[in-house]
Amino acid sequence: MWEMKLNISRDLQNELRRFANEAECYECCGLMIGSQNTVARLILAPNVAADTSRSFEIDPAYLIAAHKKQRAGAGHIIGYFHFHPNGVTGPSERDAQLATPDGMIWVIIANKQLSAWRAVNFGAHLGRFDPLEIICSA
Ligand SMILES: [Zn+2]
């Protein structure tokens, strides 16, 4: 049974907002490292999608590097984050199509607000995501 919450510190929430501010009009994106439902750190990665204003694709080199570190015991990939420059909160249709229902946590930044989701089968949002409550852990 998945927990329906995400613990993320004020500092890390502000770091996500900073990434979004700096991106302005493209979808910045990256990885969240931590354990279970707690984010320990963020890795900003290049967006290699064809149209970065409307979609994102994390640079595979960053994914491979993070998986290698995970195997070496240096931190677990618990999910992904990205920014919606159009201000729409929550995962888009495109996000739902691209997401694997693997229990990974998705954080979306829009209008300086964060929302958190878990990619699952038969999710409440677009059939792919269940909403998570964000707990400010420090
Ligand atoms: Zn999106």
Side-chain angles (χ1 to χ4, degrees):
M1 187 70 182
W2 304 115
E3 274 207 65
M4 302 305 285
K5 62 180 185 173
L6 176 68
N7 301 304
I8 178 165
S9 71
R10 177 72 61 202
D11 283 352
L12 291 175
Q13 292 188 37
N14 285 336
E15 194 174 355
L16 286 168
R17 291 191 186 93
R18 211 160 42 239
F19 292 157
N21 266 348
E22 283 163 13
E24 279 183 54
C25 54
Y26 73 94
E27 296 199 3
C28 64
C29 60
L31 299 160
M32 301 189 297
I33 308 298
S35 59
Q36 294 183 352
N37 301 297
T38 302
V39 184
R41 65 194 177 88
L42 304 165
I43 300 174
L44 185 64
N47 179 349
V48 296
D51 180 358
T52 58
S53 70
R54 297 191 304 136
S55 60
F56 80 99
E57 189 182 331
I58 292 170
D59 185 335
Y62 280 66
L63 278 169
I64 292 165
H67 279 286
K68 272 187 186 158
K69 282 186 182 162
Q70 178 171 299
R71 279 198 298 276
H76 216 72
I77 304 163
I78 62 167
Y80 317 105
F81 65 85
H82 72 285
F83 168 50
H84 281 174
N86 64 8
V88 176
T89 53
S92 65
E93 290 276 1
R94 191 191 308 260
D95 292 332
Q97 285 163 15
L98 294 175
T100 306
D102 53 7
M104 283 295 207
I105 296 170
W106 287 51
V107 164
I108 294 171
I109 312 127
N111 285 328
K112 302 189 193 309
Q113 301 295 313
L114 307 184
S115 62
W117 310 81
R118 196 186 291 284
V120 294
N121 274 313
F122 311 112
H125 182 74
L126 301 172
R128 180 55 81 233
F129 295 99
D130 278 340
L132 300 183
E133 183 187 356
I134 292 177
I135 309 287
C136 191
S137 56

